[in-house]
Amino acid sequence: MIVTSKELYKIAQEKNFAIPAANYIDALSAEAHIEVAEKLNLPLILEFAEAHETLLPFEDGLEIGKYYAEKAKVPVVLHLDHGTTKERIFQAIDFGFRSVMIDASSYSFEENVKRTKEIVDYAHLRGVVVEAEIGHVGEGEEYDDQESNNNIYTTAAEAKAFVEATGVDSLAISIGTAHGSYKAAATPVIDFDRLKEIAATIDTPLVLHGGSSSGDENLNKCATNGISKVNIYTDLCVAAYNKAQETDCKNYHEMKAAMKAGMQECLEHYYEVFETKKFND
């Protein structure tokens, strides 16, 4: 069943847990993620990123997500991740996505507000919720340590001003993680004091991008200290690849089964790390 994130985030905030946001890039990954959520009887945020239309045509991505989310037996937030163009975001909303992200974090604060407000106005008239980003989450491949990474950290004052100016429903913040895989064996240094300050300043649900390879201890602490949603993509892909490599696959079908199993084991692990089980407590 497709739902919006509003009630789910409210429960997450009250019970101090996070919901995994799993990106899909094909029918196999979408089905794999839904099956894990149904097995655990827990909610899921199923995401298709605008940038992934290089792997899957945008319209096909929308169709696949809607197909699997609609028939799911658990609450599923069908979400457009990292929307950067107004046309694509409006297209997802009009197609039936109940949650979208406008990522204008690379622009100035004023331009970010302007672009986000335009999306919020369009989405809210149609009962759709909006996620935006203030600060900037960089790339893991450029991450050596907290001092040398290319993040632009979120401040509590900026977060408060941004939420008040835009009316956004959830906010992705930059506190030390990065997208993709980290350089060498680097593990991000999370600014938990910054997280707690932002969570104490605004009531808006907070989102963490760059969850992959950020360390279970780090992610658990984020989930229990104010983060309501954690994005996972790279780790799911790596788990699928590793499982296929470890398995003596004799044909295409066995390879698909191994990849699916790898993704599912990874996602189930993160449900535990994020303490999402509190949803049913």
Side-chain angles (χ1 to χ4, degrees), residues 186-240:
T187 299
V189 178
I190 306 297
D191 191 339
F192 290 105
D193 289 337
R194 185 183 298 268
L195 169 58
K196 292 174 183 177
E197 182 185 6
I198 295 170
T201 301
I202 61 173
D203 294 329
T204 306
L206 302 178
V207 174
L208 186 73
H209 284 244
S212 291
S213 302
S214 291
D216 289 356
E217 184 177 349
N218 276 339
L219 294 175
N220 178 264
K221 194 171 179 180
C222 285
T224 55
N225 283 276
I227 293 294
S228 298
K229 168 185 180 248
V230 181
N231 280 33
I232 301 294
Y233 171 60
T234 302
D235 277 359
L236 294 169
C237 295
V238 171

Side-chain angles (χ1 to χ4, degrees), residues 82-84 89 101-107 112 131-133 136 179:
H82 283 288
T84 57
I89 296 171
M101 179 192 184
I102 165 64
D103 183 1
S105 61
S106 61
Y107 294 94
N112 192 350
E131 173 188 326
E133 183 173 317
H136 182 68
H179 293 112

Side-chain angles (χ1 to χ4, degrees), residues 18-155:
I19 303 169
N23 281 71
Y24 66 93
I25 54 172
D26 54 18
L28 179 69
S29 50
E31 181 181 57
H33 303 338
I34 293 287
E35 286 181 357
V36 172
E38 291 181 333
K39 173 186 174 182
L40 300 177
N41 192 31
L42 291 171
L44 172 71
I45 299 166
L46 187 67
E47 301 189 331
F48 182 63
E50 182 177 332
H52 288 156
E53 64 180 327
T54 60
L55 305 173
L56 179 69
F58 193 77
E59 291 75 12
D60 292 353
L62 300 184
E63 291 276 4
I64 287 170
K66 190 173 183 181
Y67 172 77
Y68 284 103
E70 281 185 335
K71 70 174 189 174
K73 300 178 179 65
V74 293
V76 175
V77 178
L78 190 55
H79 177 75
L80 179 69
D81 187 29
H82 283 288
T84 57
T85 61
K86 179 175 66 175
E87 293 75 20
R88 285 305 197 204
I89 296 171
F90 285 0
Q91 184 179 356
I93 292 171
D94 295 341
F95 187 80
F97 274 53
R98 300 297 303 281
S99 177
V100 294
M101 179 192 184
I102 165 64
D103 183 1
S105 61
S106 61
Y107 294 94
S108 68
F109 180 88
E110 293 75 18
E111 185 65 18
N112 192 350
V113 166
K114 177 183 175 182
R115 289 171 180 255
T116 299
K117 186 68 167 58
E118 184 177 11
I119 300 302
V120 168
D121 290 345
Y122 187 89
H124 282 183
L125 284 174
R126 293 158 178 80
V128 174
V129 298
V130 180
E131 173 188 326
E133 183 173 317
I134 184 69
H136 182 68
V137 178
E139 300 297 326
E141 63 187 13
E142 301 174 22
Y143 190 113
D144 282 313
D145 52 44
Q146 192 174 28
E147 284 70 38
S148 67
N149 71 65
N150 59 340
N151 289 358
I152 300 172
Y153 288 85
T154 308
T155 68

